[in-house]
């Protein structure tokens, strides 16, 4: 069985490969560099003015959420562009770790070393690496989604405070959906799979909780609808 020190060394080596890829401008997925150069205008727009950024985002007919670009723009304003890009490399590198944590909860009787090496295969993904290097939305949305799955697995195995795990599951799912809309379809899946533990009041609370957190995106959709199309 691998020691924790060896696991840290292996993980850190793979993280360094991301840093090297960043300096080399790796674009192994083929489209991440183009996506970044095409959407970089939003980061600068939101950095200057929030409402002007929304107008530019709307005028260009973007179908994605502006949530990611708003976060990056504000971090950029506070810490600078270089810090944000290195920080995103670190954030992206958490994806294999969260995946490993989830695998351990799901496969309790499997050798954890096998699960560890399985999770590290993510570092070999061209899409993962390119998103980390070129600051695209994919990795952040995936990170939130994996955190949602991890909380759901905790909910399934927990005998106490499982409502807390359910809430965290939906918080992370909503954050993933704010970055990439299509993750919202997993709400129904998680909700129905939780019915074996939740009572009526808990279900009502979860529905109300998710509805409140969904208000900003509903307002945004109302904002981007052109009055002429009504």
């Amino acid at each position: 069985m691998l020691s924790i020190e060896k696991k840290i060394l292996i993980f850190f080596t793979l993280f360094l490969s991301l840093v090297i890829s960043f300096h080399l401008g790796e674009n192994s997925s083929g489209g991440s560099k183009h996506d970044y150069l095409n959407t970089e205008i939003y980061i600068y727009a939101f950095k200057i003015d929030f409402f002007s950024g929304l107008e530019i985002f709307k005028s260009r007919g973007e179908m994605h959420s502006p949530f990611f670009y708003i976060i990056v723009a504000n971090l950029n304003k506070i810490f600078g562009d270089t810090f944000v890009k290195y920080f995103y490399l670190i954030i992206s590198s958490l994806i294999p770790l969260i995946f490993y944590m989830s695998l351990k909860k799901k496969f309790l009787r499997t050798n954890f070393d096998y699960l560890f090496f399985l999770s590290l295969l993510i570092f070999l993904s061209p899409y993962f690496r390119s998103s980390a290097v070129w600051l695209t939305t994919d990795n952040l949305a995936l990170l939130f989604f994996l955190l949602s799955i991890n909380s759901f697995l905790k909910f399934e195995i927990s005998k106490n405070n499982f409502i807390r795990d359910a809430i965290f599951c939906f918080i992370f799912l909503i954050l993933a959906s704010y970055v990439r809309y299509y993750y919202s379809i997993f709400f129904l899946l998680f909700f129905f799979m939780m019915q074996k533990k939740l009572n009526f009041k808990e279900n009502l609370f979860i529905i109300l909780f998710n509805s409140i957190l969904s208000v900003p995106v509903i307002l945004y959709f109302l904002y981007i609808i052109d009055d002429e199309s009504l």
Side-chain angles (χ1 to χ4, degrees):
M1 186 171 182
L2 282 177
S3 65
I4 186 65
E5 291 81 8
K6 288 183 179 179
K7 287 182 178 178
I8 291 174
L9 179 60
I10 294 171
F11 178 84
F12 186 69
T13 301
L14 290 170
F15 171 71
L16 284 181
S17 75
L18 276 186
V19 176
I20 294 171
S21 293
F22 172 73
H23 287 284
L24 295 177
E26 179 183 336
N27 186 35
S28 50
S29 70
S32 294
K33 181 178 180 179
H34 174 269
D35 291 342
Y36 172 75
L37 295 176
N38 191 48
T39 58
E40 192 177 18
I41 184 176
Y42 304 136
I43 297 174
Y44 289 115
F46 282 116
K47 186 177 178 180
I48 295 171
D49 180 72
F50 175 78
F51 292 103
S52 296
L54 282 180
E55 283 299 323
I56 293 174
F57 205 83
K58 177 183 177 182
S59 66
R60 296 189 68 182
E62 276 291 344
M63 298 303 295
H64 296 302
S65 163
F67 179 73
F68 176 81
Y69 306 105
I70 293 170
I71 292 176
V72 172
N74 282 280
L75 289 175
N76 200 311
K77 187 186 299 185
I78 298 171
F79 300 106
D81 183 61
T82 302
F83 172 87
V84 171
K85 289 180 178 178
Y86 275 109
F87 183 64
Y88 198 61
L89 288 178
I90 297 172
I91 290 294
S92 296
S93 70
L94 296 178
I95 290 175
L97 289 180
I98 303 302
F99 186 46
Y100 176 51
M101 291 168 56
S102 301
L103 289 174
K104 289 198 298 181
K105 292 180 178 65
K106 182 63 177 178
F107 304 103
L108 297 173
R109 298 182 181 180
T110 305
N111 187 312
F112 286 174
D113 286 349
Y114 296 154
L115 300 180
F116 175 70
F117 285 112
L118 178 62
S119 67
L120 293 182
L121 290 177
I122 293 175
F123 276 107
L124 303 180
S125 166
Y127 298 96
F128 165 79
R129 298 183 68 83
S130 299
S131 178
V133 169
W134 289 102
L135 203 69
T136 64
T137 60
D138 309 72
N139 281 2
L140 184 62
L142 180 58
L143 175 64
F144 285 139
F145 182 58
L146 286 174
L147 285 169
S148 178
I149 291 176
N150 188 60
S151 296
F152 174 76
L153 293 173
K154 286 176 65 177
F155 168 88
E156 283 201 316
I157 63 178
S158 176
K159 296 182 179 179
N160 300 307
N161 297 322
F162 54 82
I163 185 63
R164 178 193 61 190
D165 297 320
I167 293 300
F168 275 111
C169 173
F170 288 114
I171 288 176
F172 290 126
L173 182 61
I174 287 173
L175 288 172
S177 302
Y178 266 77
V179 181
R180 290 276 184 165
Y181 296 137
Y182 48 72
Y183 283 107
S184 60
I185 63 175
F186 288 94
F187 168 80
L188 291 177
L189 177 63
F190 286 146
F191 185 73
F192 283 117
M193 292 179 70
M194 288 179 177
Q195 293 309 301
K196 57 188 177 183
K197 283 190 175 183
L198 299 177
N199 58 39
F200 176 77
K201 288 184 178 179
E202 289 167 340
N203 276 318
L204 190 62
F205 176 78
I206 285 176
I207 293 173
L208 180 62
F209 178 79
N210 281 275
S211 298
I212 292 173
L213 291 187
S214 299
V215 168
V217 75
I218 293 173
L219 294 176
Y220 173 71
F221 276 127
L222 293 175
Y223 169 76
I224 63 174
I225 293 175
D226 193 337
D227 294 336
E228 295 181 0
S229 66
L230 297 177

